[in-house]
């Protein structure tokens, strides 16, 4: 196609959706969500959260769990109303069309595709307690990367045999994944709990010198909030989405998705909070040490900053049990349980890894149903799974392993990228209530006009709390994705001339990379303020995006193109305003707006984005296709 009038951007997956095997029951959907939640997060999250917030890390899990529940409520209605595999990336397309839908889909893809890599990395990192050559200072060695690739291959083949087998294996492994951390909590709270640890280092909110980001002015309550997106807290909770992502393969998804989403979040909130309490109370400062070169020195009691480089870092709970020295029968229990934890270090992350391998496949499948990728990714294989998407997702996960070979280096980016897309939960709920009132809603969320903006607010604030450096990476990733948008969707669906689309695609990549690298260097790797460099970055990127939008609006030939452009304004404005607030806020490089005033400003901006998004949403061809499909169903 080279510019001729194009079709409306409908749902291209209606036929392939019918080929998927609908075999997942209520408990299997629950354990898919729970299995996505209980993975490497429980093995490492407590350590890194305590490093940032000390005893007050407990609040990070409670606050995050409550915030994510609002998001989960929004997706419970969306998932039960439109149970589609890859649903989370399809709903924005239904409510706001191709431009806003693509930005959300691309951002979600960046996170979902990398999770199998992080779970494989977590497994190998824990195994380094037995085989030290797998890691060096928490980073995978070449041997460690090879072992991690073997885990990725296992994840692939388990998914390839079909969702029926995957569901049963996940259900079985789910009981193990729930019991092991629960028993760990009981043992530590009952037999090895040091309550004074809760106020070590200067109190429940430790002094700035004793927490990881204290020197940057992030301590006290701001450290509690900063830890939510950066240390594995929100990363752990995000697994609730699996019931939504696999919804098109459920036997009775209209009833089972809300049960699985909210049930998994309630269990996770209780379990993760208790795990953090048990971890903090289980620390014996007298046996901790830090090794630098050939020199080993003891950790200063109450210096939470040193935990991440101490002998706890290779396997926090395992090391607590193996370093403990109780007497009599307790010694046998602790020694035996430490080996159980090493076994769980393979099972828990692997379970999450194979679940997310399927999620990344369904994300790519959702990409294609929206028209953002070629139809080959809609192909359903002999085992009735999207096989081309599964292969692509596995290859992409393997690529992610190379630049981010440590657990913590991936967590912040993944969490923020994912939560950024979750702003569409509340927005999609309220928008579709307006534009598609005739949509069948088996689960109709009460008080939706109150809960929907709260869900958007929760997601927006978590993204803001991730800090400027992480948000910069996410925003740069979003802008790089516009190259693929023009290379395929703008030409194939919106009717932009093929040569012009290719030129714009290249320009977007080149300009974004040059500006991002220049700003990165001018700010000493995002560690020092440079207002002039930031102004140049914002002006150039805003000009680039504005020119993209003008071209789409003026030259696009699809019948809905102007509606799609209008429906994207709020999202583009939200991205730019949030990055500016982040730079000048309490979590940024030039904290002109201190905490908590900066959070109030971010909250106002997020709520403005919510209502702007609801106002600009329209009845897309895709949602029309869904409603007609529902009417035709027996």
């Amino acid at each position: 196609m080279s510019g001729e009038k194009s079709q409306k951007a409908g749902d291209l997956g209606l036929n392939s959706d019918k080929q998927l095997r609908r075999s997942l029951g209520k408990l299997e959907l629950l354990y898919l969500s729970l299995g996505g939640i209980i993975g490497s997060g429980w093995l490492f999250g407590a350590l890194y959260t305590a490093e940032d917030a000390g005893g007050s890390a407990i609040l990070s899990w409670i606050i995050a769990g409550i915030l994510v529940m609002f998001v989960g409520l929004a997706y419970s209605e969306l998932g039960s109303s439109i149970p589609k595999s890859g649903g989370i990336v399809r709903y924005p397309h239904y409510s706001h069309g191709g431009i806003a839908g693509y930005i959300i889909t691309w951002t979600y893809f960046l996170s979902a595709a990398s999770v199998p890599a992080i779970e494989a990395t977590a497994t190998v990192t824990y195994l380094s307690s037995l085989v030290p050559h797998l890691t060096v200072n928490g980073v995978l060695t070449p041997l460690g990367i090879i072992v991690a690739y073997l885990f990725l291959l296992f994840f692939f083949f388990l998914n390839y045999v079909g969702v029926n087998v995957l569901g049963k294996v996940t259900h079985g492994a789910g009981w193990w994944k729930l019991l092991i951390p629960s028993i760990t909590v009981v043992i530590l709270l009952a037999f090895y709990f040091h309550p004074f640890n809760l106020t070590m280092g200067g109190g429940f909110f430790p002094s700035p010198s004793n927490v990881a980001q204290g020197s940057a002015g992030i301590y006290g309550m701001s450290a509690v909030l900063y830890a939510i997106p950066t240390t594995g807290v929100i990363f752990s909770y995000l697994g609730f989405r699996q019931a939504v992502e696999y919804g098109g393969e459920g036997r009775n998804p209209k009833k089972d998705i809300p049960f699985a989403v909210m049930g998994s979040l309630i269990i996770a909130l209780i379990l993760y909070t208790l795990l953090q309490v048990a971890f903090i109370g289980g620390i014996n400062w007298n046996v901790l040490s830090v090794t630098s070169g050939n020199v080993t020195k003891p950790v200063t009691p109450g210096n939470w900053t040193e935990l991440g480089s101490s002998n706890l870092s290779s396997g926090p709970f395992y090391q607590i049990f193996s370093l403990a020295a109780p007497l009599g029968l307790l010694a046998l229990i602790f020694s035996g349980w430490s080996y159980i934890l090493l076994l769980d270090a393979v099972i828990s992350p692997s379970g999450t890894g194979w679940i997310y391998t399927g999620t990344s496949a369904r994300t790519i499948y959702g990409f294609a149903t929206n028209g953002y990728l070629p139809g080959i990714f809609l192909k359903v294989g002999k085992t009735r799974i999207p096989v081309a998407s599964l292969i692509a997702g596995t290859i992409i996960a393997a690529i992610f392993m190379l630049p981010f070979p440590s657990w913590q280096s991936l967590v912040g980016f993944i969490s923020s990228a994912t939560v950024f897309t979750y702003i569409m939960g509340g927005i999609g709920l309220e928008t579709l209530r307006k534009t598609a009132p005739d949509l069948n809603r088996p689960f109709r969320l009460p008080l939706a006009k109150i809960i929907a903006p709260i869900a958007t607010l929760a997601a927006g604030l978590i993204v803001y709390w991730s800090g400027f450096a992480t948000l910069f990476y996410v925003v740069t990733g979003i802008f790089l994705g516009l190259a693929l948008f023009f290379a395929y969707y703008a030409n194939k669906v919106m009717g932009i001339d093929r040569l012009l689309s290719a030129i714009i695609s290249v320009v977007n990549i080149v300009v974004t990379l040059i500006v991002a690298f220049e700003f990165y260097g001018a700010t000493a790797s995002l560690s020092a303020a440079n207002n002039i460099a930031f102004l140049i970055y914002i002006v150039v990127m805003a000009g680039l995006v504005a020119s993209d939008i003008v071209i789409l609006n003026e030259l696009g030939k699809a019948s809905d193109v102007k509606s799609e452009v209008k429906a994207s304004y709020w999202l583009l404005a939200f991205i730019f305003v949030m990055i500016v607030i982040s730079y000048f806020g309490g979590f940024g490089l030039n904290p002109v707006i201190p905490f908590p005033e900066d959070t109030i400003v971010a909250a106002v901006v997020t709520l403005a984005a919510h209502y702007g998004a609801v106002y600009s949403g329209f009845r897309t061809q895709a949602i029309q296709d869904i409603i007609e499909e529902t009417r035709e169903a027996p």
Side-chain angles (χ1 to χ4, degrees), residues 553-572:
N553 193 59
E554 297 301 321
L555 301 181
K557 294 179 173 58
S559 56
D560 276 344
V561 66
K562 293 191 182 301
S563 295
E564 293 194 17
V565 168
K566 178 184 175 183
S568 70
Y569 288 153
W570 70 270
L571 180 56
L572 297 172

Side-chain angles (χ1 to χ4, degrees), residues 66-75 77-78 419 422-433 445-462 570 574 602-615:
I66 293 171
L67 291 177
V68 174
M69 280 189 182
F70 285 104
V71 180
L73 284 169
Y75 278 111
E77 175 170 314
L78 291 172
V419 177
Y422 283 178
I423 62 174
M424 289 303 300
I427 288 171
L429 168 63
E430 194 165 351
T431 300
L432 291 177
R433 286 278 187 102
L445 182 66
L447 303 174
K449 284 191 173 294
I450 297 174
I451 293 175
I454 294 176
T456 305
L457 181 63
L461 289 180
I462 292 171
W570 70 270
F574 178 70
V604 172
V605 170
T606 302
L607 287 175
H610 173 88
Y611 290 109
V614 173
Y615 174 79

